[in-house]
Amino acid sequence: MRNIGNIDVRGLTLGFRNFGRTNAVVEDFSFKFDGGSFTSIIGSSGCGKSTLLNAIGGHYKPLAGQILLDGCEIKEPTASLGIVFQQHTLFPWKTVMENVRFGPMQRGVSKVRANAVAAKYIEMVGLAGYGDYYPKMLSGGMQHRAEIARALANAPAVLLMDEPFGALDAQMRASLQSSLLDIWKETHVTIIFVTHDVEEAMYLSERIVVMSRDRGRICEVFALDEPFPRNKDKLFASEGGRDLKEKCIGCLAS
Amino acid sequence: MDEIMAGVTQRGQGQAVSAAPEGGHQGAPTRDRGAAWFLRIVRKPRWTALLASAASLVAGVGLWQWLTESHVHLILDFSNIPTPVAVFEAFRVVVVTNAFWRDIYWSMYRIIVAFGLATVVGVSAGIAMGYSAILRLVIAPYVEMLRPIPAIAWVPMAILVWPTTEESIISITFLGAVFPIVLNTWEGVRRVPRELVKAARSLGANRLNVLFHVVVPYAIPSITVGMALGMGGAWFALLAGEMISGRFGIGYFTWESYQLIQYGNIIVGMLTIGFLSSVSTGSIYYLKRKLVPWAE
């Protein structure tokens, strides 16, 4: 466990107030994400997993409870909480290089240094040579890579990922998954990964949190001890793997 | 840039094809052939299309020559309208006079000043309305109330308020241009996707930097549309202003020609106005392509 990148969610209630009535999407949610860990959150659509992730990123104010990053309450989005969204959110008017260096430059890093940092992460995600391209000139998978590079270039303590590979074909998804694991190993960033794909969660994470549709209650938390790098075929064929997958799917269905 | 894009697309297709089952291999080439066939259909008769348009124009001018030469008077009265040949003669005489170029200079000067002001004011007001709820509540009532009033309706007011006719003409032109710019800027700012703003905030941008790095760039295509519409409005209002209260200007030239019974010059003036107006609108679209290459 590292001493940075710890997320502590305490009694969190998210939702909206409507004419005095409270509609809770997530109610009394508590969980600790250890620094440097890789946790997946799975749940059927509408269970509030995306809302939870946005709240951790500082984009929603909780109705009750609090979220702490290394002991400090998260009140607004900050550079330490990097987010990769499901939709493409690269700035279309900036090249890949300009997109990736945006974070460092916002923090006041000089252009020369920001370029160096950006180049490093662009290479890390396998986009070397595409720095001068505008986002629309790249394929969907390449845009996702650029987005991950942009989030990482800020050296965030936590990387929040909201179904980032949901819209990709199987091949592209597999290659991005293994890139993500390499990046995680290299940077030791805390990753909170939202997905609805059980196999993806099993392949990537150390722990899987299953959220129920009933106000985001935690159904079950599974720990996976399988060491990295994992072999997908072996993982899903093994008895433990099959068992876990069935349990997850059972949880999701209930 | 096109070449690079084609390269990327091909690479993307290559991946998709290799990942797809057998059916995918057959599907892609058929689609390409279909596209090529379609392009041939569209492209081949390019010169015929040009010829058809040219023939139509020649026929139109011929009709005009015939109607005016034979003094047709059937509901419409053509007896006082100059023939195309007479108009060309008038143009040849007038194009070498200083007065003609001085009128063009004055009109362009008024357009540039009024349109420049309208752009600054319109873009600022539109961004303020789109980005701040309080400023929207303050500004929106004025926009909604004044927008439906045509710029020409401001002429008497403008003459009363401003010390010289020059200023009143510029203010009328300004009013003709400003509203489309405000509305399109506002619309562009309002449409900024929440995700882009959230992404910028998560990368550490404060509200001001979100405005300059996300909101304004996103709105630029919409702003340029507003500017092009505003340019049309500016010419419309300028001509009204020049005809009613002007000294100099191409609108004044046209109106004066009518009063001096120089009918050929009326049409020379009209065609000059059309030409100047379309050149200035075209230059805005040119500017847009230069400014926002990523939006093409």
Side-chain angles (χ1 to χ4, degrees):
Chain A
M1 196 178 116
R2 286 155 80 224
N3 46 9
I4 62 160
N6 296 282
I7 293 282
D8 188 357
V9 183
R10 290 183 183 167
L12 184 72
T13 298
L14 298 167
F16 44 94
R17 288 212 174 88
N18 212 351
F19 301 110
R21 273 189 56 204
T22 308
N23 280 329
V25 180
V26 173
E27 199 169 320
D28 199 21
F29 185 100
S30 297
F31 195 80
K32 271 189 177 164
F33 301 89
D34 293 332
S37 66
F38 197 133
T39 313
S40 286
I41 300 174
I42 61 174
S44 47
S45 58
C47 74
K49 54 191 194 298
S50 202
T51 312
L52 173 68
L53 199 79
N54 273 283
I56 296 174
H59 290 294
Y60 290 131
K61 273 210 168 67
L63 293 177
Q66 53 184 184
I67 308 167
L68 307 176
L69 167 64
D70 300 324
C72 297
E73 192 173 353
I74 297 167
K75 288 191 169 140
E76 58 174 1
T78 72
S80 348
L81 299 159
I83 298 196
V84 178
F85 293 93
Q86 186 176 9
Q87 307 91 333
H88 292 304
T89 60
L90 289 175
F91 306 124
W93 47 86
K94 292 184 191 288
T95 62
V96 170
M97 175 61 87
E98 287 165 348
N99 264 288
V100 176
R101 77 178 182 211
F102 180 78
M105 287 190 69
Q106 288 300 309
R107 280 184 292 130
V109 174
S110 75
K111 201 170 187 169
V112 179
R113 284 205 52 205
N115 275 340
V117 171
K120 179 183 144 199
Y121 285 100
I122 287 172
E123 199 186 330
M124 192 189 274
V125 297
L127 282 181
Y130 289 97
D132 294 332
Y133 284 44
Y134 283 101
K136 63 158 189 193
M137 294 153 78
L138 304 176
S139 71
M142 290 160 101
Q143 289 191 36
H144 272 300
R145 284 171 191 275
E147 246 160 288
I148 293 168
R150 185 176 67 173
L152 288 171
N154 242 353
V158 182
L159 186 58
L160 307 163
M161 305 186 85
D162 187 3
E163 301 196 29
F165 310 145
L168 299 175
D169 61 68
Q171 198 192 13
M172 187 59 78
R173 176 187 278 237
S175 102
L176 279 176
Q177 283 170 348
S178 62
S179 303
L180 180 62
L181 286 175
D182 291 343
I183 288 163
W184 176 52
K185 219 170 79 185
E186 203 167 315
T187 57
H188 300 292
V189 62
T190 311
I191 296 181
I192 304 176
F193 190 96
V194 164
T195 179
H196 58 253
D197 182 341
V198 176
E199 289 193 359
E200 187 173 52
M202 284 173 63
Y203 175 62
L204 292 173
S205 44
E206 298 175 309
R207 281 194 300 175
I208 300 176
V209 177
V210 187
M211 278 174 85
S212 94
R213 207 184 292 207
D214 174 26
R215 283 160 296 160
R217 202 169 38 80
I218 295 180
C219 247
E220 197 86 54
V221 180
F222 299 106
L224 279 96
D225 304 326
E226 185 83 15
F228 294 95
R230 292 169 179 170
N231 181 313
K232 264 189 188 166
D233 297 330
K234 240 172 78 185
L235 181 66
F236 300 131
S238 73
E239 187 146 343
R242 271 205 315 258
D243 198 36
L244 179 58
K245 192 175 165 186
E246 253 164 51
K247 274 190 198 160
C248 286
I249 290 170
C251 268
L252 287 177
S254 66
Chain B
M1 198 144 91
D2 285 341
E3 274 173 25
I4 296 170
M5 277 190 47
V8 170
T9 325
Q10 271 174 6
R11 205 169 303 137
Q13 272 179 1
Q15 278 164 357
V17 168
S18 61
E22 201 54 48
H25 280 285
Q26 290 174 335
T30 320
R31 207 171 46 232
D32 281 358
R33 216 176 298 141
W37 173 81
F38 177 72
L39 282 178
R40 252 203 311 278
I41 289 284
V42 178
R43 273 186 193 160
K44 198 182 175 185
R46 207 179 232 174
W47 62 273
T48 8
L50 215 69
L51 204 73
S53 297
S56 165
L57 274 177
V58 169
V61 173
L63 183 69
W64 170 14
Q65 180 76 30
W66 175 75
L67 284 170
T68 45
E69 223 171 29
S70 50
H71 300 287
V72 171
H73 192 162
L74 188 81
I75 306 175
L76 296 175
D77 181 4
F78 288 95
S79 50
N80 287 322
I81 305 300
T83 63
V85 176
V87 170
F88 183 71
E89 278 302 313
F91 174 73
R92 260 187 38 194
V93 170
V94 96
V95 81
V96 293
T97 61
N98 278 333
F100 180 69
W101 292 103
R102 184 201 57 203
D103 284 331
I104 288 179
Y105 164 78
W106 274 100
S107 288
M108 289 308 288
Y109 165 76
R110 287 164 183 155
I111 284 286
I112 287 166
V113 171
F115 184 76
L117 278 172
T119 303
V120 172
V121 171
V123 170
S124 320
I127 288 172
M129 281 165 79
Y131 205 50
S132 153
I134 295 165
L135 288 175
R136 174 167 64 247
L137 293 175
V138 173
I139 302 170
Y142 290 98
V143 173
E144 290 306 324
M145 233 163 49
L146 302 181
R147 186 171 56 100
I149 302 172
I152 308 171
W154 285 95
V155 170
M157 266 282 287
I159 293 170
L160 289 175
V161 165
W162 291 99
T164 69
T165 43
E166 199 48 48
E167 283 151 347
S168 61
I169 291 174
I170 286 175
S171 76
I172 292 158
T173 311
F174 167 85
L175 286 166
V178 75
F179 291 109
I181 299 176
V182 173
L183 292 176
N184 280 279
T185 306
W186 181 19
E187 180 67 20
V189 170
R190 222 173 9 183
R191 282 190 185 193
V192 174
R194 279 179 56 91
E195 272 68 31
L196 283 188
V197 175
K198 276 161 76 175
R201 296 278 285 143
S202 280
L203 289 167
N206 58 29
R207 227 171 118 82
L208 197 70
N209 281 335
V210 169
L211 180 66
F212 286 117
H213 285 278
V214 181
V215 174
V216 172
Y218 187 86
I220 281 179
S222 185
I223 291 173
T224 50
V225 169
M227 284 170 71
L229 292 172
M231 186 56 95
W235 275 99
F236 193 87
L238 173 78
L239 268 294
E242 283 181 348
M243 284 189 180
I244 294 163
S245 65
R247 266 176 354 105
F248 314 134
I250 196 70
Y252 171 76
F253 170 88
T254 308
W255 188 245
E256 192 197 31
S257 306
Y258 169 71
Q259 288 177 323
L260 299 178
I261 332 181
Q262 293 168 336
Y263 292 154
N265 285 354
I266 295 180
I267 294 174
V268 171
M270 285 167 67
L271 292 175
T272 310
I273 291 160
F275 176 77
L276 292 176
S277 167
S278 73
V279 163
S280 41
T281 307
S283 66
I284 286 170
Y285 283 118
Y286 175 79
L287 204 73
K288 182 204 169 184
R289 276 198 299 279
K290 289 280 150 199
L291 259 166
V292 286
W294 50 269
E296 290 301 314

